Amino acid sequence: MMDVPSANQSQTPCQPWAGQNGWSPASPQGPPCNPLPGFQHLSLSSPSDQRPGYEHLQVSHHGCQSDLAAFTSRDEPHRGTLHSNDADQSVQRVVADAHVSSTVPTASQGRHMPPCSLPLMKEVTQPCRLQQMPLYSPHSPYQGISPPSKPPYTHQGSPNGPRSPPHQKHLPICSPPLGVSQSPQFTPQPAFERANVESSVGFIHNHASPTSPVSQQPQWTLAAPSGGTINEFVPNAAAQDRNITPQSPNCESRYGLDPELLPSVVKVIAEDAAEWEGKVFVSEPFSRLPPLATTSCIIEDKGNASPLAIRSASYCVPCDGQTALLSRVPLGALVTPLATQDAGEHLPVCTEPECVMGCGCCGASMCPAMGWQDCGQRFYCPFCGKLGEVPWQHYQPTRGGEGVRVDKDKRPELSMGSYEILNSQRGEPAALLLAIDVSASAVRGGHLEFATQQILTLLTSLKREDGDASSDVRVGLMTYDSRIHLYNLSPALSRPHMLVIAETEDLQLPVREGLLVPLKDCIDSIDSVLQLIPQFSPECDDSSGVPMELPVKAGLAVLQALSCPGKLLIFHTAPLIEMGLTDSSSGFFGSNKPKSIFQPSELAISLAKECVSQGCGVHLFVLSQQDVGGAWPGHIPYLTGGALYTYSHLQGELDRERFSTDLTSVVETDTGYKAELRIYVSKEMRVSGCYGLFLPGPGPSRVVMATLDRRTTLAMELAHTRALDETRGVAIQTVLSYSTQTGDRRTRVHTLTLPCSRHLQDTFRQYQAQTLLAFYCKKIYCSVLERPLQELREELQTEVTEALASYRKHCCSASVSAGQLVLPQYLRALPVYINSLRKSEVLLPGLRSSIHQRLQQRCQVLSMDTCSTSTHFYPLLLPLPLSVDSSCSPNPEQALRCCAASLEPGSLYLVHAPLTLLLWVGTQVPACTLVELFNASCFSSLPSGETKLPLLENLLSTSVRSLINTLNSQAPCARKLWVVKQGDACEEALQRHLVEDKSPNGGASYADFLYHLHVNSVRLLQ
């Protein structure tokens, strides 16, 4: 598949047209395997290619083993990739349970085939052998060594697809001829029943080519309930003869599926909100599945960490590795160590001398998962399986047969899933260091005056907060062009002194005193320097650019000299270049090692490691965004817990407002410095991988970060080392050691205890689609550093297909027909989430996707929590009222499905995603609404693009602006509001967010993707 339309990325050879739709272009060279019983394939090729008999229906399917060996065997000489049976490469006519003879001649035999408007590709599939394929290679820096119970997988195949065994024959996949009506011999049959334990969606298909003059698609109607727990969706026979024209070509399913009948993310979220909104969820050991991350509820800690801090992929873990491997769904958890608690609540804090000591063998902290023995003199550690002695200072007897200490309710470390320890050791307070570009480009740009004014305004507001720790923060200031200018801000001086460092290769600080001074003592000195900066005259030419690493090295040297952590804010304007790229043999193409456009340079990694060891978080504000070219400067900021913010010369009001909001957020956000995260799991398991925005360390169970905040989220993957004990369950603990702004050293402990089961059905019941999406996203986005994008997309689809096949085979309590889609109850939304991930800009770039945009989006999404991740891949489509009275106002909970069919020309819609905010205006919106909201007299006079809603004194304008402000407060960064007019050129920006439709970059629609997941999962079981 063509991943990037540029030469900067290695690609796997593929067939060009197939890659436009996000499907696997590789066509296995082997005989087709009948995907579903009774499926008929009609040829789309010329009459000379027809075969009178359908030999492929006689192919033995005993190769599709039904036992565990089908999932674990590595001895097969010929392994095939699960292919998507591409929706955009072959048009098939599918009839479930038709029970017709396979020798019925096709309707197109002996007829002339009109030319196709799209190129056709032969597509055949392998015999149904289940392939095991990991999402990552064993040498991934984020992943540990594969467990003995889960052997490494191998990917065998050629660029054109895996080869078939030599004894099998090649037969064409067929579809109906263009312009020819369907044969009346094939009659759709009802195919819907399900058991109480699963969620099922059935569909039967009767499809003609979308390019044919006569297109017959089924009308779906809701049949009367049959007394079971599932409704039967039966095609309306009376509607078969009518042509159905969808509202948008992107909404149309190539297989005639009605998207409205497919599982809906909006409905899943609404059902969960109706159950838990405003209610109390008690988080206790072995508790049930928590509410979704998008549901707002009250969490009560009764011995298990809040799902805001640790959210497990499954809340019931398989007892052994073979069962976990059989499920084909990953085991893991998402960790947000500094997650904020409910409003008005704080974590209990205990001092280090008073806290009961944890395990001295493995280092785990005390928690409710510890078991007490010998009347409280010893405790059993579930993380290493050893007994620990209790110091006499902390001894208390136990009561009852369960061995509960009498002081349990008085000690948070014994009764709470999350608590914090205030360590005796103190460190240096964190500093705030400002670095401003004063090169010729910056001085000529004309925006230095505004930037310095905003910096001074922010610092002044911090000083006015008397008694607050922020007024005592130490602040430093420096400017740079090709040299470094340090400023001595000591209050003992009558005016600040400038220190110029011309030798930047080996930075040596001439002095240390006065470089970092408490804000309350140096605000006047900073004021005088900031007022002079816009008046600087450029002393050197920067036409060749200024390396972004230069201020990072200088700021790091200042923090190292004073032995303190801090935030480094860089305000850069000059063209960006990388340091040390003077030799033509260096750089991206300088070696024969496999490269990826997502990989940072060696210099960036080296500087990031120094920043991590010092606790320096870099935040880069690029005040003059380059349209094309230049090095991407975001690697160091994102690897150190910071971020990259880009603006267009700060000339417009919108960019200036966004700059002010971002600057305030960076400075005022509570941050942890010099952080170390240690992960402990029960002795029967181990941490096999850890994924997120950090530099990988020697092992996945220990992560070191320069800075982190309340949104920083990591994903951990777990694997079995031996069988679990059902009576003890599984314990997961994360211990975060970090420094606060004031220099206090704290340890935050989160512990989660989960049940385990020998039944695969119990595990599937306790998975949530949003959690799996966030896990897959972090794992895949970390893997793009080493793996081809096409390979990752294929393996992700393979993994989900095998999981659905496993659930269908081992967890369905009632017999289901081949045409019936079976999904676990809480994984109904997983296919649409996975499809959105597969066709995201990072994994499947479009024609207008720049490399810089993809690099930044990858880092932004990697740092998101579960709620933001799910909203990013399935945005909220909110209908806005055309008029508002006192009893009617916009409601964020009334979201619609993200597809073009939800948009009506006479309505307004707001599209909310963590990184984007769009306002779509239909052509038939009443003029009075346009006047009240935009102060525009008609649709043609309404401007499109970036805008800010005018402050108008009416209920509609007030309510919409209030809703936008509420949504912006939930976003991780300041966003622009884009007005998108129906039919306008910028409407493509909206189409990228309608994830249920076919995407502009070629990603398949939700209906087609779900169809192929179902077909391939059934194929695996034949």
Side-chain angles (χ1 to χ4, degrees), residues 509-530:
L509 299 181
V511 296
R512 298 183 181 181
E513 184 180 358
L515 297 181
L516 293 176
V517 180
L519 178 60
K520 60 184 180 182
D521 298 330
C522 66
I523 186 64
D524 294 332
S525 299
I526 292 178
D527 186 5
S528 61
V529 174
L530 291 178

Side-chain angles (χ1 to χ4, degrees), residues 301 336-341 345-356 365-366 411-414 416-424 670-673 708 734-740 744-751:
D301 188 344
T336 310
L338 293 182
T340 56
Q341 304 300 307
E345 294 188 8
H346 301 279
L347 282 183
V349 180
C350 55
T351 58
E352 188 175 18
E354 299 176 355
C355 184
V356 179
S365 298
M366 181 57 60
R411 290 186 174 272
E413 67 269 27
L414 301 180
M416 304 286 287
S418 298
Y419 67 96
E420 202 162 54
I421 303 174
L422 180 60
N423 299 344
S424 318
D670 292 334
T671 306
Y673 302 88
L708 77 164
T734 62
V735 179
L736 177 72
S737 300
Y738 69 101
S739 294
T740 63
D744 294 333
R745 194 71 186 170
R746 292 176 176 249
T747 301
R748 183 168 293 195
V749 181
H750 300 293
T751 307

Side-chain angles (χ1 to χ4, degrees), residues 815-849:
S815 59
V816 292
S817 64
Q820 180 178 347
L821 172 66
V822 183
L823 293 171
Q825 179 180 358
Y826 297 109
L827 295 183
R828 289 173 292 170
L830 185 61
V832 67
Y833 280 140
I834 295 300
N835 186 43
S836 181
L837 172 60
R838 289 179 69 253
K839 62 182 183 180
S840 62
E841 292 290 322
V842 176
L843 299 181
L844 187 64
L847 296 178
R848 294 178 177 85
S849 302

Side-chain angles (χ1 to χ4, degrees), residues 131-142:
Q131 176 178 345
Q132 300 174 6
M133 190 176 299
L135 288 175
Y136 291 98
S137 56
H139 60 271
S140 171
Y142 296 90

